[in-house]
Amino acid sequence: KRTKRVTLTWTQGDVLQTPPHKDGGDPKPTPALKLTAADPVTVFSRAVYAPTAQALCARNWRFYDGAQIYELQFQPSQSAALTPADRGLGLSAAVTCQVRYAEVAGFHHKPGDHHADWLRSDIVARFGKLGAAGPWLFVSLRADTFLGYAKVELTRATVVPL
C-alpha cells in the first residue's frame, strides 16, 4: 500500500492541489464547485460550532478530496441513548442522523464498479455533546457497503483548558 500526500489550498477563485490532479469526471469539478466544499477533516471538525443538536443535521455537508466533490445530505436528527463508549469519551448527550450520499462532480464510472448499489443501508452519522456545556463532536459515520460494514469512529477526546 502506498501513502499519497495531497495538499489542498483554498484561494479566492479556486482550490489548488499539490501535486496537481487532472480534473476529470462528468461533470468536471469546476473552480466554482470546488469552492462550495471543504476537505473531510475540516467539514467534520465544524461540528463544534453547532449551537444545538438539531443544527448538526440541518444542512448538507459538501466535501472535496482533491479529485471528487460529493455531498452528505443529512436528515433531521434523532436523540440517541448514550453507549458505554460515549460515556467513556465524556459525552453527555448523543444524536443520530440518517444521511444520503450524492456525487456532485469528478467521478468516473466503469461497468461493474457498483456505482448504483455500493451502499446496502442508509448511512448513519452520530454526534455527541462533550460534557454538560461542551461542544458537539462528530462521533461516527457507519454504513453497510457491498464490501462489508464500514465505519469511521472517534476513539478519544481530550479537553484542554484555555
Side-chain angles (χ1 to χ4, degrees):
K1 185 176 178 180
R2 186 177 79 119
T3 300
K4 181 179 178 184
R5 299 196 190 286
V6 175
T7 302
L8 299 175
T9 306
W10 272 255
T11 68
Q12 288 220 341
D14 200 356
V15 179
L16 309 173
Q17 178 180 335
T18 308
H21 180 274
K22 184 177 183 275
D23 287 337
D26 184 25
K28 292 183 178 183
T30 64
L33 277 175
K34 292 177 191 178
L35 290 169
T36 67
D39 66 277
V41 172
T42 298
V43 173
F44 285 119
S45 66
R46 289 178 179 161
V48 300
Y49 299 111
T52 65
Q54 294 75 22
L56 291 162
C57 303
R59 63 189 261 316
N60 297 337
W61 295 19
R62 188 169 280 190
F63 301 82
Y64 176 58
D65 62 11
Q68 301 165 327
I69 300 169
Y70 50 96
E71 189 170 80
L72 296 182
Q73 300 167 340
F74 284 75
Q75 307 308 304
S77 64
Q78 303 288 323
S79 294
L82 288 172
T83 66
D86 292 337
R87 287 187 186 88
L89 289 170
L91 303 181
S92 62
V95 296
T96 60
C97 315
Q98 300 293 321
V99 180
R100 294 188 186 113
Y101 170 85
E103 295 177 354
V104 176
F107 288 86
H108 298 278
H109 294 292
K110 298 174 187 167
D113 72 355
H114 292 278
H115 167 248
D117 68 346
W118 71 275
L119 278 175
R120 300 237 166 113
S121 72
D122 287 335
I123 301 170
V124 178
R126 185 176 181 87
F127 298 91
K129 187 171 187 176
L130 188 58
W136 286 91
L137 304 175
F138 165 75
V139 176
S140 67
L141 195 64
R142 301 169 183 221
D144 189 19
T145 75
F146 79 97
L147 294 174
Y149 190 71
K151 70 178 177 178
V152 176
E153 192 168 55
L154 178 68
T155 58
R156 184 174 48 154
T158 305
V159 178
V160 179
L162 296 177

